[in-house]
Amino acid sequence: MNEKPLLVMKFGGTSVGNSDAMKRVKEIVKDVLHEGWMPVVVLSAMAGVTDELLRSTEMAKNRRYDQVLQAAGALTTRHYQVVDELIPETERKVFLKQQIDQLISMFAEYCRAIDIIGEATPRVLDAIAGIGEMLCVRIFAEYLNSSGIPARSIDATKLIVTDHSYQAAHPIREKSERKVKETLLPILQSNIVPVVTGFIAATEDGTTTTLGRGGSDYSAALLGAYLPAAEVWIWTDVDGVMTADPRIVPDATTIDVLTFREIGELAYYGAKVVHPKTMQPLIDAGIIIRVRNTFNPTHPGTLLTLETDRQLDGEIKAVTSIKGQALVTIEGRGMLGVPGVAARAFGAVAATGTSVPLITQASSEQSICFAVPLSSVETVLRSLNEAFSRELATRDIDRIWATDEVVIVTIVGAAMRSTPGIAGRIFGKLGSQGINVIAIAQGSSEVSISIVIDKADEQRAVRAIHELIVSKNEKAG
Ligand code: ASP
Ligand code: MG
């Protein structure tokens, strides 16, 4: 019986983007083996491959099969090159190239089908999108074998069972857990490193599904929860989760410890470090996640955990912003005390397929205000005007209108809950910069405060609020 602690490690597209990157990943695998872990490796497709595969489906839809064949050629060349650079043995090379050929032919055939019927169903899109991961794990597993680390590639279509929601499928826990245990545990017990595709899964009848773009993190979390593993490490191309976007705030730093709730708010508001669904399976299982940098492996990265005992009073952890939003306001005296206005308003918004990242309502009940992406604002206004046409005619609702582009700035920190005065400090900072706050929302979880400001103020606002983090860190340090 293998007594080593299990460690699921997921490597993103840039971490396996070329042969040099894969060499680093092999070194990391070797290191953790030496440290006494038994790793399960989960891989994304090589950087850009998923995009390329999906772009090809567009070409096929436009009846440009010639372009699909070009893309197929380029994908073959790219994967062949990695094989040539990593694997010295002729036999292994030939074997791998055959597998690459098979997968690329499958890709071309699916695209041919799209070309013929002129339509790509979500189902065929998933079958195509997952081919990048299938290519990647075969190459990397063989590379490990060739380097003396026993490994086996496994397609997660054999491990994770989902419903039929193509392009964002939902895992079915019991069935998946059984398959994961049955398949992976014996391999791990023989000290063989499983190299598993991220992103893909399958329905019960074996049709390929995907967990959504960027879903390999989620794959790793699912495997971690089902095995269960001691830890899950997400290896990416940055040092961890940052206090702010370094393109806006040059002195942004890596956050050492974040709670799942905090990262949840950050992921939601555009910090795309970890896929937002990643946390859920691990919370119940009490498994911690580390975010680490393949290109700087000595950096400890960010630790994500359920609770942290290192919470500083009033600590602001991070500030992020999402651009491209507009605020929609429904206002009128006739709304006062009338039940159901909000329900109808959000019903009308939902009918357009738009999701709402922020809502505020004044206690006077004379207006409801919420954010929607700028790109859907026209559709949303049309839908609201229809839904409330009677109230608009009787002047119970005076008007429904939208702002120009605004930005939502979100400030995250779990200790904000227990600390009065945080909002005051934030607004003080903004006030001293002369930045006008258009709307405010605080989640009832009190893990975050979101403020809506004019697009032009984004950089200054984020920098000003980040100063509150820096001064705190200096005090703490
Ligand atoms: N390769 C997939 C994507 O690009 C999944 C992932 O990388 O997480 O979306
Ligand atoms: Mg990613």
Side-chain angles (χ1 to χ4, degrees):
M1 181 74 187
N2 193 329
E3 295 296 337
K4 293 177 189 165
L6 297 183
L7 170 62
V8 176
M9 295 202 291
K10 176 262 174 178
F11 295 87
T14 39
S15 298
V16 289
N18 55 42
S19 55
D20 280 340
M22 285 199 191
K23 285 180 191 166
R24 291 171 188 275
V25 174
K26 181 203 69 184
E27 289 306 317
I28 291 170
V29 171
K30 216 158 99 187
D31 288 347
V32 301
L33 281 165
H34 279 157
E35 287 166 19
W37 297 96
M38 191 58 216
V40 174
V41 173
V42 177
L43 301 182
S44 289
M46 293 174 68
V49 168
T50 313
D51 286 336
E52 187 64 28
L53 292 167
L54 289 173
R55 238 191 331 269
S56 303
T57 65
E58 287 298 315
M59 298 166 186
K61 247 196 307 197
N62 299 330
R63 305 281 154 78
R64 293 303 307 266
Y65 191 65
D66 55 322
Q67 293 177 346
V68 172
L69 290 178
Q70 264 177 30
L75 285 168
T76 305
T77 310
R78 180 164 173 203
H79 288 89
Y80 271 19
Q81 187 185 344
V82 176
V83 170
D84 286 330
E85 286 168 0
L86 292 180
I87 310 228
E89 303 94 332
T90 311
E91 222 171 287
R92 280 190 210 277
K93 265 200 250 201
V94 171
F95 171 67
L96 266 175
K97 287 183 180 176
Q98 277 168 359
Q99 290 188 300
I100 294 171
D101 288 346
Q102 271 171 20
L103 286 167
I104 301 278
S105 316
M106 186 169 94
F107 153 70
E109 273 169 38
Y110 283 136
C111 285
R112 183 74 187 132
I114 296 173
D115 174 63
I116 291 167
I117 52 180
E119 183 187 30
T121 60
R123 174 175 166 155
V124 76
L125 288 178
D126 272 359
I128 292 172
I131 290 174
E133 272 71 11
M134 296 167 77
L135 289 162
C136 193
V137 295
R138 282 162 178 71
I139 298 174
F140 188 71
E142 210 46 44
Y143 172 46
L144 288 183
N145 279 318
S146 152
S147 314
I149 302 171
R152 186 174 309 162
S153 66
I154 298 161
D155 294 333
T157 45
K158 300 199 188 74
L159 300 176
I160 299 172
V161 184
T162 67
D163 64 7
H164 285 76
S165 318
Y166 296 105
Q167 299 191 290
H170 307 288
I172 302 169
R173 167 136 201 171
E174 257 167 52
K175 291 177 181 137
S176 307
E177 187 170 332
R178 183 158 12 96
K179 285 198 173 199
V180 166
K181 286 196 163 121
E182 272 171 15
T183 314
L184 292 186
L185 290 178
I187 299 176
L188 289 162
Q189 264 147 19
S190 346
N191 282 307
I192 295 170
V193 178
V195 180
V196 184
T197 54
F199 189 41
I200 58 172
T203 61
E204 235 186 319
D205 55 19
T207 313
T208 302
T209 55
T210 67
L211 303 175
R213 290 307 306 269
S216 295
D217 297 345
Y218 188 33
S219 309
L222 293 171
L223 298 184
Y226 298 157
L227 277 165
E231 297 194 9
V232 173
W233 296 1
I234 306 288
W235 290 90
T236 177
D237 51 7
V238 292
D239 283 339
V241 185
M242 309 279 290
T243 51
D245 182 342
R247 285 167 303 188
I248 297 180
V249 183
D251 60 351
T253 53
T254 307
I255 305 167
D256 315 333
V257 186
L258 266 177
T259 65
F260 289 134
R261 292 238 297 256
E262 291 169 328
I263 182 85
E265 295 292 314
L266 286 174
Y268 188 55
Y269 283 103
K272 294 211 173 79
V273 184
V274 185
H275 190 278
K277 284 187 184 166
T278 311
M279 271 54 76
Q280 196 50 52
L282 299 173
I283 289 175
D284 307 329
I287 298 172
I288 61 166
I289 312 176
R290 292 178 206 277
V291 180
R292 302 193 58 182
N293 189 350
T294 307
F295 302 91
N296 187 15
T298 54
H299 193 289
T302 300
L303 173 72
L304 305 177
T305 171
L306 192 54
E307 294 289 340
T308 146
D309 46 7
R310 303 195 27 220
Q311 207 70 262
L312 297 170
D313 254 6
E315 189 179 20
I316 299 173
K317 294 274 191 71
V319 50
T320 59
S321 50
I322 33 170
K323 297 185 216 299
Q325 303 293 310
L327 272 187
V328 174
T329 303
I330 304 173
E331 58 186 17
R333 285 172 210 283
M335 287 164 63
L336 188 76
V338 181
V341 176
R344 280 167 60 205
F346 291 113
V349 177
T352 67
T354 306
S355 77
V356 174
L358 175 144
I359 304 169
T360 63
Q361 177 176 29
S363 60
S364 73
E365 289 188 50
Q366 290 180 27
S367 73
I368 300 174
C369 174
F370 52 90
V372 294
L374 201 58
S375 54
S376 357
V377 77
E378 273 181 39
T379 339
V380 166
L381 286 179
R382 212 176 307 128
S383 177
L384 287 169
N385 276 302
E386 256 167 48
F388 291 110
S389 57
R390 204 168 44 84
E391 286 81 357
L392 285 162
T394 58
R395 302 296 307 271
D396 281 332
I397 288 177
D398 294 322
R399 59 182 191 138
I400 301 174
W401 58 285
T403 61
D404 289 336
E405 180 173 353
V406 294
V407 169
I408 301 176
V409 175
T410 299
I411 300 108
V412 174
M416 297 198 311
R417 183 175 9 181
S418 49
T419 314
I422 298 250
R425 277 173 29 224
I426 292 166
F427 295 119
K429 264 284 177 200
L430 295 174
S432 70
Q433 298 284 315
I435 294 167
N436 179 40
V437 175
I438 305 169
I440 308 164
Q442 176 169 32
S444 57
S445 64
E446 292 188 49
V447 165
S448 71
I449 295 176
S450 291
I451 55 171
V452 180
I453 55 170
D454 196 82
K455 176 187 159 206
D457 293 329
E458 180 187 12
Q459 292 215 344
R460 281 191 309 134
V462 171
R463 285 185 189 147
I465 294 167
H466 193 262
E467 281 171 21
L468 294 173
I469 303 178
V470 175
S471 60
K472 192 82 206 177
N473 285 351
E474 276 162 6
K475 245 185 273 166

